[in-house]
Amino acid sequence: MGKIIKDTIHANGMDIGIYTSDFENEFISLTDIAKYKSDSPDDVIKNWLRNRDIIEFLGLWETLHNPDFKPVEFDGFKKAAGTNAFTLSPKKWIESTNAIGIVSKSGRYGGTFAHSDIAFEFASWISPEFKLYIIKDYKRLKTEENSKLSLNWNLNREISKLNYRVHTDAVKAYLIPPELTPAQVSFAYASEADLLNTVLFGKTAREWREENPDAKGNIRDNATIYQLLVLSNMESYNAVLINQGKSQKERMKLLHELAVQQMSTLSKIELSNLPGIEQKSDT
């Protein structure tokens, strides 16, 4: 499943596990939520899954988010749901329908987890009041997470902008003859910016825009924290190379070597080890 980032929701004195593997889809522990109602959380979850309305909700969620969902098997569960003899466990639901909205995890921190959309529905069934406590602390976690990500991203973006000022000053002093027109001066600046774009991103700003017509911002606005960090170093290094009188061809080769070396290094270390960067670690 790849890297898993774990956290905890604190709801009315109870701790509820939450994890994500892609920073987009978050899964909340149904097992922990069920403990609010009973010391036998597995039985609580199975009772919840006996309801026809719940089965229909889960089927609709999977239909909207899961192209590999098995509708035939789902129809069988929907028809049987609500009858006295009907029972359904999370494991059986997952294996039979190829569901992805509910996950069974083993180990010390195991249990039944569900996508936040589904977990909140389960919490409503357990207790509307308890659901509000869960949502309140969940929002707190998201606010803190967004604040950290925004701070880290903007910090590196501003560093990149400051270094770009040094870079453009070097271009003006060493690459642009006095007799150039303002239009030519602007073209020279753009050319140097796209040299860095090509080295780091493999394309110019215009090429990126043509490939991403609906994206907000420009190529650098959509860069990762790693890329922005390397970009700021490239801008400083490029200014030094310009001062040394290196040709654009020479500089492109040297900058490419720097970018490859630094991106390779960054990919091998934890982001949290970098000064000023905070990120949750694996557990």
Side-chain angles (χ1 to χ4, degrees):
M1 178 175 273
K3 186 175 183 179
I4 293 177
I5 306 299
K6 301 188 71 173
D7 214 322
T8 304
I9 295 173
H10 306 289
N12 197 25
M14 296 191 66
D15 291 342
I16 300 171
I18 178 174
Y19 79 88
T20 179
S21 59
D22 59 7
F23 295 99
E24 293 182 6
N25 297 293
E26 293 178 320
F27 288 75
I28 300 174
S29 175
L30 299 188
T31 301
D32 290 342
I33 295 175
K35 290 177 183 177
Y36 179 83
K37 189 171 184 178
S38 170
D39 292 332
S40 302
D42 290 345
D43 292 336
V44 174
I45 296 171
K46 288 178 182 178
N47 285 335
W48 177 64
L49 289 173
R50 294 185 71 247
N51 293 274
R52 181 183 178 88
D53 290 344
I54 299 303
I55 296 298
E56 290 181 344
F57 171 79
L58 294 176
L60 176 59
W61 190 95
E62 295 289 344
T63 300
L64 293 174
H65 299 89
N66 181 7
D68 298 320
F69 184 58
K70 298 179 179 179
V72 175
E73 287 76 2
F74 160 66
D75 285 339
F77 286 136
K78 185 171 68 172
K79 291 177 181 177
T83 62
N84 292 335
F86 179 71
T87 59
L88 182 62
S89 67
K91 183 177 180 181
K92 185 176 181 180
W93 167 255
I94 296 167
E95 293 178 348
S96 299
T97 66
N98 203 29
I100 60 173
I102 294 179
V103 178
S104 290
K105 297 176 64 66
S106 58
R108 180 181 176 186
Y109 300 103
T112 300
F113 288 76
H115 188 278
S116 56
D117 296 343
I118 298 171
F120 291 144
E121 186 74 13
F122 177 66
S124 290
W125 182 79
I126 293 290
S127 164
E129 178 185 0
F130 189 50
K131 174 188 175 181
L132 292 178
Y133 283 111
I134 294 173
I135 291 177
K136 181 179 179 181
D137 203 62
Y138 178 77
K139 288 182 177 180
R140 176 191 63 80
L141 284 176
K142 297 304 294 180
T143 298
E144 290 181 357
E145 175 186 302
N146 291 336
S147 177
K148 289 178 180 179
L149 290 174
S150 177
L151 176 62
N152 293 334
W153 191 92
N154 285 320
L155 174 63
N156 283 279
R157 185 69 168 115
E158 291 305 313
I159 291 174
S160 176
K161 289 179 180 178
L162 290 173
N163 276 297
Y164 188 69
R165 289 291 300 275
V166 175
H167 168 234
T168 53
D169 284 346
V171 172
K172 181 177 180 181
Y174 294 92
L175 292 186
I176 306 175
E179 65 273 13
L180 287 177
T181 66
Q184 289 173 319
V185 171
S186 297
F187 178 79
Y189 276 70
S191 177
E192 283 301 309
D194 269 339
L195 179 147
L196 299 181
N197 290 337
T198 301
V199 169
L200 185 59
F201 304 110
K203 62 196 68 176
T204 65
R206 180 177 179 180
E207 290 170 339
W208 182 90
R209 172 54 57 197
E210 291 174 348
E211 294 175 5
N212 303 273
D214 298 325
K216 295 182 179 179
N218 56 41
I219 187 171
R220 299 187 183 194
D221 292 325
N222 287 272
T224 65
I225 291 177
Y226 281 176
Q227 288 172 323
L228 289 174
L229 184 62
V230 173
L231 178 62
S232 68
N233 293 335
M234 287 173 58
E235 288 172 341
S236 297
Y237 186 41
N238 194 37
V240 172
L241 296 176
I242 291 171
N243 292 343
Q244 292 176 353
K246 300 289 187 183
S247 68
Q248 190 172 87
K249 183 176 181 180
E250 292 174 316
R251 286 185 286 109
M252 195 163 192
K253 181 177 183 297
L254 293 170
L255 289 167
H256 181 263
E257 292 174 353
L258 175 71
V260 170
Q261 185 270 323
Q262 293 197 355
M263 288 299 291
S264 297
T265 299
L266 288 172
S267 68
K268 296 176 183 177
I269 64 176
E270 288 294 330
L271 196 60
S272 57
N273 292 334
L274 297 176
I277 301 294
E278 295 182 9
Q279 184 165 319
K280 298 178 181 65
S281 59
D282 289 337
T283 57

